[in-house]
């Protein structure tokens, strides 16, 4: 293999001596834990492609399931009393993306933001400060086109970045499935590896910078901040569990 092709792999391996790790704290069984999860003070929300299950945090019992049409939801983010879920028509083409909003009181899903033709499939969205941050994913040979987009409060695009070559190489033919801001840094996760990619915005240019990789108990998919603890929430798709983790430096 030519040396230049080894560079992304060598860059990723340079972070093999992990300074941080996400330790599993607890888990909650949920049949809907297929795409992502989120949690507030009293409830846990397990997200599947077309529905969301609401669980009592204290007892672990399911109290409700969402109604309303959805096709392919991904990560969830709690904002102003609503659960916002990245949503797309994946794997259909051309890509169409929306943000779905779940009202936890009524458990009805509705469209919060419609991007229309989105140039990639929306996999995660969060609000940080005065801006919205969204990742639009590509897959297969095109996954290097996956991009993080920053919007202002009125959804005017402000900037966009692609993911580092070392991250793209590690994803194989998959893409970025989840992301959050945590402690001023961007934590992102792929489709099927127990790895969080810790990133930062570059001082110049349009490629995110890889700080390090962090072992975690979540084998890919969505990622969220637990509103009660400030720590991380993910899923184990094979076990159909919501998993709570704590970042240890």
């Amino acid at each position: 293999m030519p040396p230049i092709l080894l560079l992304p792999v060598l860059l990723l391996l340079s972070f093999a001596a992990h300074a941080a790790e996400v330790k599993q704290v607890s888990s909650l069984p949920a049949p809907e834990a297929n795409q992502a999860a989120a949690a507030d003070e009293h409830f846990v929300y397990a997200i599947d492609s077309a529905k969301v299950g609401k669980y009592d945090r204290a007892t672990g019992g399911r109290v409700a399931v969402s109604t309303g049409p959805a096709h392919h939801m991904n990560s969830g983010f709690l904002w102003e009393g609503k659960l916002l879920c990245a949503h797309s028509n994946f794997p259909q083409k051309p890509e169409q993306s929306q943000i779905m909003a779940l009202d936890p009181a009524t458990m009805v899903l509705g469209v919060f933001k419609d991007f229309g033709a989105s140039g990639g499939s929306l996999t995660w969205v969060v609000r940080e400060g005065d801006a919205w941050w969204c990742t639009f994913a590509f897959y297969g040979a095109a996954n290097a086109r996956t991009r993080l987009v920053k919007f202002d409060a009125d959804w005017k695009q402000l900037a966009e970045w692609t993911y580092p070559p070392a991250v793209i190489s590690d994803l194989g033919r998959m893409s970025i499935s989840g992301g959050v801001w945590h402690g001023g840094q961007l934590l992102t996760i792929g489709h099927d590896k127990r790895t969080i990619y810790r990133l930062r915005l570059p001082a110049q240019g349009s490629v995110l910078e890889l700080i390090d990789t962090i072992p975690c108990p979540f084998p890919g998919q969505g990622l969220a901040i637990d509103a009660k603890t400030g720590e991380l929430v993910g899923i184990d798709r094979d076990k159909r569990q919501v998993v709570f983790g704590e970042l240890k430096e």
Side-chain angles (χ1 to χ4, degrees), residues 34-116:
N34 187 48
Q35 294 288 1
D40 60 25
E41 290 285 334
H42 303 291
F43 298 101
V44 176
Y45 303 90
I47 302 169
D48 205 343
S49 293
K51 61 184 177 181
V52 179
K54 179 180 179 180
Y55 289 79
D56 186 298
R57 188 164 189 143
T59 67
R62 187 170 65 185
V63 296
V65 177
S66 66
T67 60
H71 172 74
H72 194 273
M73 289 187 288
N74 280 288
S75 293
F77 170 66
L78 289 160
W79 185 71
E80 294 190 345
K82 298 292 192 293
L83 177 65
L84 303 183
C85 297
H87 180 261
S88 72
N89 65 341
F90 181 84
Q92 300 174 29
K93 296 292 179 74
E95 297 96 343
Q96 304 272 336
S97 296
Q98 303 84 28
I99 300 171
M100 304 298 289
L102 175 73
D103 183 340
T106 65
M107 291 298 288
V108 175
L109 280 165
V111 176
F112 174 81
K113 167 66 180 175
D114 191 344
F115 293 97

Side-chain angles (χ1 to χ4, degrees), residues 133-153:
W133 303 80
C134 301
T135 282
F136 295 93
F138 290 86
Y139 298 85
N143 68 348
R145 294 174 59 196
T146 299
R147 58 200 175 100
L148 172 68
V149 183
K150 179 182 180 181
F151 297 92
D152 69 12

Side-chain angles (χ1 to χ4, degrees), residues 6-19:
L6 287 173
L7 183 58
V9 177
L10 292 175
L11 285 172
L12 189 63
L13 292 178
S14 69
F15 296 103
H18 301 289

Side-chain angles (χ1 to χ4, degrees), residues 174-246:
M174 304 313 295
S175 195
I176 294 293
S177 294
V180 294
W181 284 101
H182 185 274
Q185 297 172 327
L186 185 61
L187 306 183
T188 62
I189 193 167
H191 181 268
D192 51 19
K193 291 189 176 183
R194 298 179 186 271
T195 301
I196 287 175
Y197 309 102
R198 181 154 50 178
L199 307 166
R200 60 180 166 232
L201 301 179
Q204 295 182 338
S206 59
V207 181
L208 296 168
E209 296 178 356
L210 178 63
I211 300 171
D212 61 3
T213 59
I214 303 173
C216 72
F218 322 125
Q221 302 304 317
L223 194 64
I225 300 294
D226 185 344
K228 183 175 182 178
T229 67
E231 291 295 337
L232 299 174
V233 185
I235 64 164
D236 188 319
R237 170 182 275 180
D238 290 342
K239 295 179 179 179
R240 293 301 173 108
Q241 292 180 342
V242 176
V243 178
F244 296 86
E246 183 177 359

